[in-house]
Amino acid sequence: MDEIDRLSEFLQRLTPLSRSCLLSELERLELCGIDMPGSADVQSRLRAEFRKDGSTQARATSPSRYFFAPLELLLIDGAPEHANMGRISRNTLTPIWEWICRDLLPTMARDYIKAISDQVAANNPKEVSKIAATFQTKVVKVLESTFASAESTEFARAKLAQYTASRSAFDDVRKMQHVLRAGDALPKFDEKLPAKIARFDDGQVAKITAQLDAFKKAHPEALPFALTLVARRLATSWQLVSLATKAAASKSPADVAAAPYACVVPMVLDRLDDKRLALRIALRHNRVLVARDLLTEIYDTEYALKVRIDGIENSEWGTRLQQLMDAIAALVSAEVSRFPSNVGHILGSRRLRSHDTLGGKLTYLAWKGRDAMQDGAAAFRKLIGQT
């Protein structure tokens, strides 16, 4: 028996859920930059089984798909290890589902799977939604009991670790709990948002802030997910920072950090880290044009953060931003160095930094002038209020 036959035999001994979990785990390791010999062949075989439509998303079984449906708009395909406030890694869903079915609620999960399967076969979508919502409520209640003590929390964490080596999978369980506990509040909030926000100007910021204020009052733990839904409507992710800077007394890091929605700044940095990971993968697969577009977005985000927050370099946000940009610079340098010095590389082009052009510098001066006027007006109003 050759190696390929032995591999096929091994994979077939696993349950479909375990094979799906294995695929998610191998993809997670790849996203983390960990190379495993033979991983490509295993992934290819598993994708042929679970992703026959060519999708980049794991095809979950129907019962789990209905259970996780409320999370759909919040899922990302990035590595679970890196920070993603308000979002959940798709790669953790399979191990979380296996943990729910085998350890958290095995009997109820079996009943749920049978009930869902019967109603799907009967083409009864209303009953399917009702059964899924009931099981979601049961899971939330059990999680609340599980997290009530440090001992039961650690026991649950250890059990989940049997299905994935991801250090952040348990954090995704907590995120899932917050989303499911919010019920239909997030879908209703999502419906009220504009389909697209082309310009996130003062009027739009004020309108969205009012909607967020109302949501936060009722569901404070689910606020990061509401912010994620807002981010989906924006033309660029860095525009999210306006929710913090518009409400701040000034553009200094301290004042922005004191603003009601200061958490959007680390969220933007999370998305910058997403682009770093995507850039690394694009370069690994020689997708230079994809890498170019990613690098342009990265430079634009860096520039926007430095313009919107004066002296960000001297804050914790600035430290993280610099670390990310250093890592990105190392990726670009390694790619450019593969070519002779007399051969220009598209990733080394100054045009990728549009703010270094004359038009970009004029825009910078315009922003700074407007910010100075706004800061002056805010200081004057504060002075009037004090007197």
Side-chain angles (χ1 to χ4, degrees):
M1 182 181 294
D2 60 24
E3 186 175 340
I4 294 178
D5 290 336
R6 287 197 298 272
L7 175 61
S8 298
E9 183 179 342
F10 167 74
L11 293 176
Q12 288 306 312
R13 286 202 209 103
L14 303 176
T15 65
L17 192 58
S18 295
R19 291 198 296 274
S20 179
C21 191
L22 175 61
L23 175 58
S24 295
E25 191 71 0
L26 291 174
E27 290 177 333
R28 181 188 69 81
L29 292 172
E30 182 180 37
L31 286 168
C32 293
I34 300 174
D35 293 321
M36 295 186 63
S39 174
D41 290 338
V42 177
Q43 288 187 53
S44 177
R45 287 174 175 272
L46 293 173
R47 286 194 186 106
E49 174 182 356
F50 292 104
R51 304 177 186 179
K52 295 176 181 178
D53 60 352
S55 170
T56 59
Q57 301 172 358
R59 187 190 69 178
T61 57
S62 291
S64 65
R65 186 166 67 246
Y66 290 115
F67 177 81
F68 289 125
L71 312 182
E72 187 60 39
L73 293 177
L74 308 169
L75 297 178
I76 59 167
D77 294 317
E81 273 65 19
H82 100 122
N84 278 300
M85 187 185 298
R87 295 179 297 168
I88 297 171
S89 172
R90 191 182 300 275
N91 285 335
T92 63
L93 297 190
T94 300
I96 287 174
W97 180 246
E98 191 154 356
W99 171 66
I100 290 172
C101 292
R102 294 189 178 186
D103 297 297
L104 191 69
L105 284 170
T107 302
M108 289 184 180
R110 283 195 297 270
D111 293 343
Y112 162 76
I113 291 170
K114 184 180 185 308
I116 280 284
S117 301
D118 290 345
Q119 294 304 320
V120 169
N123 193 24
N124 191 346
K126 288 186 177 180
E127 192 63 24
V128 166
S129 297
K130 182 179 177 181
I131 293 170
T134 299
F135 189 56
Q136 288 160 4
T137 300
K138 291 177 180 178
V139 170
V140 168
K141 289 182 178 179
V142 173
L143 288 176
E144 288 173 351
S145 176
T146 299
F147 298 148
S149 73
E151 183 179 357
S152 59
T153 297
E154 288 308 309
F155 180 78
R157 188 191 300 273
K159 282 292 185 179
L160 179 59
Q162 295 177 6
Y163 306 105
T164 176
S166 170
R167 297 184 301 275
S168 59
F170 199 68
D171 292 335
D172 280 348
V173 172
R174 289 186 177 275
K175 292 178 185 178
M176 177 188 74
Q177 178 192 13
H178 296 326
V179 173
L180 296 181
R181 185 188 286 154
D184 61 357
L186 279 167
K188 288 181 178 178
F189 175 83
D190 189 55
E191 289 174 3
K192 294 178 181 178
L193 294 174
K196 257 320 185 189
I197 304 177
R199 291 188 59 188
F200 205 35
D201 54 22
D202 292 357
Q204 279 285 13
V205 170
K207 183 178 179 181
I208 297 298
T209 298
Q211 291 176 255
L212 287 167
D213 289 344
F215 182 89
K216 181 173 66 170
K217 186 175 181 180
H219 305 282
E221 291 181 333
L223 176 63
F225 307 106
L227 290 167
T228 293
L229 296 177
V230 173
R232 289 172 58 90
R233 304 302 207 282
L234 300 176
T236 56
S237 61
W238 61 257
Q239 290 177 317
L240 203 61
V241 172
S242 296
L243 289 170
T245 58
K246 292 294 183 183
S250 76
K251 297 300 185 289
S252 72
D255 283 339
V256 174
Y261 296 105
C263 63
V264 297
V265 180
M267 290 180 77
V268 170
L269 291 170
D270 290 348
R271 283 154 177 75
L272 187 61
D273 204 3
D274 287 342
K275 291 181 175 62
R276 176 187 65 81
L277 291 170
L279 177 65
R280 184 180 66 192
I281 293 172
L283 292 176
R284 177 180 294 179
H285 295 285
N286 294 316
R287 297 170 183 164
V288 180
L289 294 180
V290 173
R292 177 200 62 187
D293 293 341
L294 285 167
L295 201 54
T296 299
E297 294 176 20
I298 286 168
Y299 290 151
D300 287 347
T301 300
E302 176 197 22
Y303 176 65
L305 286 169
K306 289 183 176 180
V307 169
R308 302 290 180 177
I309 306 175
D310 289 340
I312 189 174
E313 298 87 353
N314 301 318
S315 67
E316 289 185 7
W317 296 331
T319 300
R320 185 181 176 199
L321 175 61
Q322 189 59 53
Q323 290 171 345
L324 288 171
M325 295 310 299
D326 287 345
I328 290 163
L331 289 173
V332 174
S333 178
E335 171 65 17
V336 173
S337 67
R338 295 195 303 116
F339 295 80
S341 57
N342 62 337
V343 177
H345 194 292
I346 191 172
L347 298 188
S349 173
R350 289 176 59 86
R351 286 181 294 179
L352 295 181
R353 291 183 179 271
S354 60
H355 49 273
D356 283 342
T357 64
L358 177 60
K361 291 177 180 178
L362 290 174
T363 301
Y364 172 83
L365 292 174
W367 280 355
K368 282 301 180 185
R370 185 193 62 188
D371 289 346
M373 291 177 62
Q374 290 177 343
D375 289 349
F380 181 72
R381 288 194 298 269
K382 184 176 180 180
L383 179 63
I384 293 296
Q386 288 176 345
T387 57

